[in-house]
């Protein structure tokens, strides 16, 4: 797991423009935006301001005055999963969306223009995992990286890694680095030699109630302290924290059930 947006500047500011294929934004659609603001504001120190209303009622989350994520409002009668969605940068959303379709994926929203958020589309890969595509002439996506409260990594959990990793490699130009053994099915996706995301095949262990899905990891200063805060704020800890070569990781859900992971120092 590394910074998914490329090398951060010394002050934590992300590059002004994201290389096509890099995760450049994270969004969350919820039924209760007020409660969601309270949860993430307390957990990550986010503040909020209105976002482009072409997407419906939505907010931009800010950290130190710089944008880190987006939160949209699901209508009460729209029963969709509440989940974090990674967005990948593109120089031509229409061309990338067509590539998604040609390779067995689907495009459910767009491509469409969204004011200074640029042009975007929401699609899913052949396994059903949802992701976004973003072409941003003005709003460049996440404006700060690799500091507590920012998204730092995205990992796709799916049935098997080989074919799905090939789908993303073909659409976004990734290089694949497989780590496949009898008990491990994992592919790191690289761009210009640096890791930007990963695909993890779970086989029969894949939860049927969720299916294939992307997980967004957020940087925290201390994983165990953040877990206690998640509990106090009404979230749920999905599993014990564990040390990995990249840091101390734990899976959690917010009060509406959106899953994400915390990544802090070991």
């Amino acid at each position: 797991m590394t910074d998914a947006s490329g090398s951060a500047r010394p002050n934590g500011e992300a590059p002004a423009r994201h290389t096509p294929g890099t995760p450049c934004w994270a969004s969350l659609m919820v039924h209760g935006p007020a409660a969601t603001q309270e949860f993430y504001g307390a957990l990550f120190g986010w503040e909020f301001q209105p976002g482009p209303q072409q997407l419906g009622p939505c907010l931009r989350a800010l950290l130190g005055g710089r944008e880190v994520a987006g939160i949209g409002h699901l209508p009460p009668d729209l029963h969709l999963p509440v989940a974090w969605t990674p967005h990948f940068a593109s120089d031509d959303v229409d061309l990338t969306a067509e590539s998604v379709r040609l390779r067995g994926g689907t495009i459910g929203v767009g491509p469409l223009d969204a004011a200074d958020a640029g042009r975007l589309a929401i699609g899913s890969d052949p396994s059903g995992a949802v992701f976004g595509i973003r072409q941003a002439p003005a709003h460049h996506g996440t404006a700060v990286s690799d500091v507590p409260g920012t998204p730092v990594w995205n990992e796709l959990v799916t049935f098997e890694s080989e074919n799905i990793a090939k789908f993303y490699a073909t659409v976004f130009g990734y290089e694949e680095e497989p780590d496949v053994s009898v008990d491990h099915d994992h592919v790191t996706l690289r761009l210009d030699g640096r890791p930007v995301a990963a695909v993890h095949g779970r086989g029969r262990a894949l939860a049927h109630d969720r299916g294939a899905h992307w997980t967004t990891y957020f940087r925290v200063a201390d994983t165990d302290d953040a877990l206690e805060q998640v509990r106090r704020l009404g979230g749920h800890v999905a599993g014990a924290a564990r040390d990995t070569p990249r840091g101390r990781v734990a899976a959690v859900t917010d009060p509406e059930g959106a899953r994400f992971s915390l990544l802090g120092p070991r």
Side-chain angles (χ1 to χ4, degrees):
M1 301 167 198
T2 71
D3 170 24
S5 60
S7 299
R9 298 176 184 179
N11 62 359
E13 185 177 353
R17 188 170 184 83
H18 294 267
T19 303
T22 56
C24 64
W25 191 243
S27 65
L28 175 66
M29 298 294 289
V30 300
H31 292 287
T36 298
Q37 289 180 68
E38 185 176 348
F39 175 82
Y40 288 101
L43 181 62
F44 292 142
W46 290 352
E47 298 175 334
F48 300 89
Q49 69 179 22
Q53 300 306 297
Q54 291 91 335
L55 307 177
C58 66
L59 300 162
R60 285 179 181 160
L62 309 178
L63 189 64
R66 292 179 289 181
E67 298 170 354
V68 294
I71 295 175
H73 185 196
L74 282 170
D77 58 344
L78 192 58
H79 302 290
L80 294 176
V82 176
W84 279 100
T85 300
H87 295 235
F88 299 93
S90 170
D91 280 342
D92 188 328
V93 164
D94 296 77
L95 187 61
T96 303
E98 184 60 23
S99 180
V100 168
R101 293 188 187 99
L102 289 174
R103 286 155 181 81
T106 60
I107 297 295
V109 176
L112 54 83
D113 292 316
D116 64 344
R119 189 160 177 82
L120 59 88
I122 303 294
S124 58
D125 66 29
S127 71
V130 176
F131 63 94
I133 310 164
R134 186 171 291 253
Q135 177 184 346
H139 171 60
H140 294 135
T142 302
V144 59
S145 64
D146 209 21
V147 297
T150 61
V152 289
W153 185 249
N154 292 278
E155 184 160 294
L156 172 61
V157 178
T158 187
F159 183 76
E160 58 84 27
S161 69
E162 182 179 2
N163 291 322
I164 298 302
K166 196 170 298 297
F167 164 84
Y168 286 97
T170 305
V171 170
F172 292 111
Y174 299 137
E175 306 139 15
E176 301 170 65
E177 182 184 326
D179 178 13
V180 181
S181 61
V182 174
D183 57 354
H184 194 59
D185 180 9
H186 188 276
V187 175
T188 300
L189 302 174
R190 292 180 172 270
L191 200 59
D192 298 330
R194 61 186 174 85
V196 294
V199 181
H200 185 192
R202 295 291 304 275
R204 295 183 182 277
L206 182 67
H208 294 291
D209 60 334
R210 296 199 66 208
H213 60 277
W214 282 95
T215 297
T216 298
Y217 289 70
F218 290 88
R219 176 74 69 195
V220 292
D222 185 294
T223 303
D224 296 280
D225 285 350
L227 288 178
E228 288 304 313
Q229 198 168 13
V230 166
R231 293 187 183 98
R232 288 197 302 269
L233 294 169
H236 175 70
V237 176
R242 68 187 191 282
D243 287 320
T244 73
R246 299 293 182 183
R248 190 159 175 80
V249 174
V252 299
T253 64
D254 68 19
E256 279 205 30
R259 288 176 177 256
F260 60 98
S261 286
L262 306 172
L263 174 61
R266 294 174 64 182

